[in-house]
């Protein structure tokens, strides 16, 4: 099993990254802000970067260190990676199954099973842990709808039917998402999912978490030799990491949603941590993003028992483990792709 390494998040907007031996050097106006050994890293994420030296790009590509560029507010710009790893036969099988409607549908169902199952258990845990603070009737109705959606997945015969089932389940889940927020409800009110841009603090945090998780999933897929662009649920589109988006569906509730809700309920963030633009877009401040990233890194170090492998792994290895299981399924080592069914 691959070892969990660190991700370097560069939030200083005018920082320049260069290479000195086996170290990354962070420069600002030719002044050295710090240096980090390359061998400790699995990825570098730059927010509002000024630039990266060609030597550092080459070293990252050679060592398999993902290099991702985002805007200051977390919108994806570009990702640089080295030569494709893995067996070309694996990628050929991936493309073949993506082109076969029924084979593709089988894998897509697994991703959506993971998504709906995990969302439902987020609501179940809320009902168990805070029975006196929630609307039990509404929550039970949402859980019932999601259970019905899970049963309907097996009956679906087209991708369009799958997306319809997913839409109904997502509406039920996000319809009760606000009940998970137990602190500072006046600041962190949630009336539904919105993005591009996010229009409230909760959606700003969710979008940021999804960007981070999506980048990690992309790196994990590349690491096992899969093509992140060729998926089974999301349609193939130039510039879109469709397979990474597929896997994000099953991991977003346990890894991203619960993380955001926990940060809010712990009182880590307040209304001062957000900026509202003239167009209504809401983003986290620079300081808030740094605290968010620090907590995200700590969360990745926590251990869980993987629901399928029954082995202890760090949370941060969940994406890589699922990518590995998908590769094993495509190679024919497993009868079906086992989604991450968290409980």
């Amino acid at each position: 099993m691959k070892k969990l390494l660190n991700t370097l998040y560069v939030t200083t907007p005018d920082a320049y990254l260069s290479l000195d031996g086996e170290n990354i050097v962070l420069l600002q106006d030719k002044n050295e802000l710090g240096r980090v050994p390359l061998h400790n890293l699995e990825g570098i994420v730059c927010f509002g970067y000024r630039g990266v030296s060609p030597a550092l790009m080459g070293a990252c590509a050679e060592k398999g260190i993902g290099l991702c560029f985002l805007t200051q507010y977390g919108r994806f710009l570009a990702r640089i990676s080295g030569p494709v790893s893995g067996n070309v036969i694996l990628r050929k099988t991936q493309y073949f199954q993506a082109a076969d409607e029924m084979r593709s549908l089988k894998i897509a169902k697994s991703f959506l099973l993971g998504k709906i199952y995990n969302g439902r258990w987020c609501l179940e845990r809320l009902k168990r842990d805070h029975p006196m603070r929630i609307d039990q009737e509404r929550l039970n109705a949402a859980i019932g709808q999601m259970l019905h959606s899970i049963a309907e997945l097996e009956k679906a015969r087209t991708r369009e039917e799958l997306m319809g089932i997913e839409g109904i389940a997502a509406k039920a889940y996000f319809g009760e998402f606000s009940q998970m927020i137990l602190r500072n409800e006046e600041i962190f009110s949630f009336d539904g999912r919105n993005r591009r841009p996010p229009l409230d603090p909760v959606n700003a945090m969710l979008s940021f978490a999804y960007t981070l998780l999506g980048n990690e999933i992309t790196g994990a897929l590349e690491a096992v030799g899969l093509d992140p662009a060729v998926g089974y649920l999301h349609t193939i589109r130039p510039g879109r990491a469709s397979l990474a988006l597929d896997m994000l569906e099953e991991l977003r509730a346990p890894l991203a949603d619960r993380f955001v809700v926990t940060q809010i309920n712990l009182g880590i963030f307040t209304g001062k941590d957000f900026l509202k633009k003239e167009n209504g877009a809401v983003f986290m401040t620079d300081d808030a993003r740094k605290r968010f990233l620090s907590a995200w890194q700590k969360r990745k170090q926590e251990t869980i028992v993987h629901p399928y492998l029954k082995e202890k792994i760090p949370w941060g290895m969940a994406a890589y483990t699922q990518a590995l299981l998908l590769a094993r399924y495509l190679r024919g080592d497993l009868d079906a792709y086992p989604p991450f069914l968290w409980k």
Side-chain angles (χ1 to χ4, degrees):
M1 177 62 73
K2 177 184 174 183
K3 182 180 178 182
L4 178 64
L5 298 177
N6 295 314
T7 300
L8 174 64
Y9 296 102
V10 182
T11 58
T12 304
D14 56 351
Y16 182 82
L17 307 184
S18 65
L19 183 68
D20 181 12
E22 291 295 308
N23 296 294
I24 298 174
V25 181
L26 283 76
L27 300 171
Q28 185 179 38
D29 297 328
K30 298 184 179 180
N31 296 316
E32 183 175 321
L33 299 179
R35 56 179 58 215
V36 180
L38 276 174
H39 69 266
N40 288 335
L41 298 176
E42 65 179 4
I44 303 169
V45 180
C46 301
F47 295 85
Y49 73 103
R50 176 187 287 180
V52 174
S53 73
L56 178 56
M57 289 185 188
C60 288
E62 180 182 345
K63 297 178 183 298
I65 299 173
L67 184 56
C68 181
F69 300 102
L70 308 176
T71 67
Q72 183 181 359
Y73 298 111
R75 183 173 59 82
F76 177 81
L77 290 174
R79 179 179 174 85
I80 297 174
S81 58
V84 177
S85 61
N87 191 322
V88 67
I89 302 301
L90 172 62
R91 294 189 295 281
K92 185 177 179 180
T93 303
Q94 177 189 357
Y95 303 150
F96 170 75
Q97 298 227 16
D100 185 295
E101 184 176 354
M102 296 311 297
R103 293 174 186 268
S104 181
L105 196 68
K106 180 180 178 181
I107 303 174
K109 286 181 180 181
S110 293
F111 286 130
L112 285 186
L113 171 61
K115 175 179 182 175
I116 301 172
Y117 180 98
N118 291 330
R120 171 225 166 179
W121 271 106
C122 283
L123 299 184
E124 291 278 12
R125 287 174 70 101
L126 175 65
K127 187 172 71 170
R128 181 197 69 188
D129 296 341
H130 304 282
M132 305 303 294
R133 298 192 60 178
I134 60 170
D135 186 326
Q136 291 268 3
E137 185 176 350
R138 283 177 46 191
L139 208 61
N140 285 332
I143 291 170
Q145 177 59 67
M146 297 178 80
L147 285 170
H148 177 71
S149 294
I150 289 174
E152 290 294 302
L153 286 177
E154 191 55 38
K155 303 176 185 177
R157 292 293 176 265
T158 66
R159 180 185 169 278
E160 289 68 27
E161 288 180 31
L162 275 186
M163 297 306 292
I165 294 169
E166 185 273 340
I168 292 172
K171 183 178 180 181
Y173 171 69
F174 279 118
E176 302 308 318
F177 192 88
S178 61
Q179 293 206 62
M180 298 187 202
I181 299 170
L182 306 172
R183 186 168 182 170
N184 294 329
E185 295 95 326
E186 68 285 353
I187 297 170
F188 296 100
S189 60
F190 183 84
D191 295 323
R193 183 79 180 106
N194 55 66
R195 54 183 182 150
R196 298 178 186 172
L199 302 176
D200 57 72
V202 178
N203 275 292
M205 296 176 74
L206 288 174
S207 292
F208 194 60
Y210 295 161
T211 297
L212 297 177
L213 181 56
N215 179 59
E216 292 173 8
I217 293 171
T218 299
L221 292 168
E222 290 175 344
V224 303
L226 292 169
D227 186 340
V230 180
Y232 302 96
L233 177 63
H234 291 82
T235 54
I236 298 174
R237 183 184 302 171
R240 170 194 263 181
S242 296
L243 185 57
L245 292 175
D246 288 354
M247 193 164 286
L248 177 63
E249 296 294 355
E250 64 175 311
L251 296 178
R252 69 169 75 222
L255 271 66
D257 295 358
R258 278 188 58 82
F259 173 80
V260 167
V261 168
T262 298
Q263 297 304 300
I264 293 173
N265 290 341
L266 287 175
I268 305 298
F269 296 93
T270 68
K272 296 180 180 179
D273 292 315
F274 300 89
L275 300 171
K276 189 168 186 177
K277 301 295 183 179
E278 291 182 0
N279 64 350
V282 174
F283 299 103
M284 286 187 284
T285 65
D286 291 343
D287 179 67
R289 283 199 306 276
K290 291 177 182 178
R291 284 184 279 122
F292 190 100
L293 292 169
S294 177
W296 181 263
Q297 285 287 71
K298 289 181 180 178
R299 173 65 166 164
K300 287 167 61 177
Q301 301 293 331
E302 296 178 11
T303 59
I304 60 165
V305 176
H306 190 277
Y308 178 77
L309 299 175
K310 307 302 180 185
E311 297 176 4
K312 284 187 176 182
I313 64 167
W315 264 116
M317 289 296 293
Y320 177 80
T321 304
Q322 291 307 117
L324 206 59
L325 289 171
L326 179 58
R328 288 179 61 188
Y329 165 68
L330 293 173
R331 290 191 182 101
D333 298 333
L334 297 172
D335 293 333
Y337 168 67
F340 186 86
L341 302 179
W342 172 81
K343 189 175 181 180

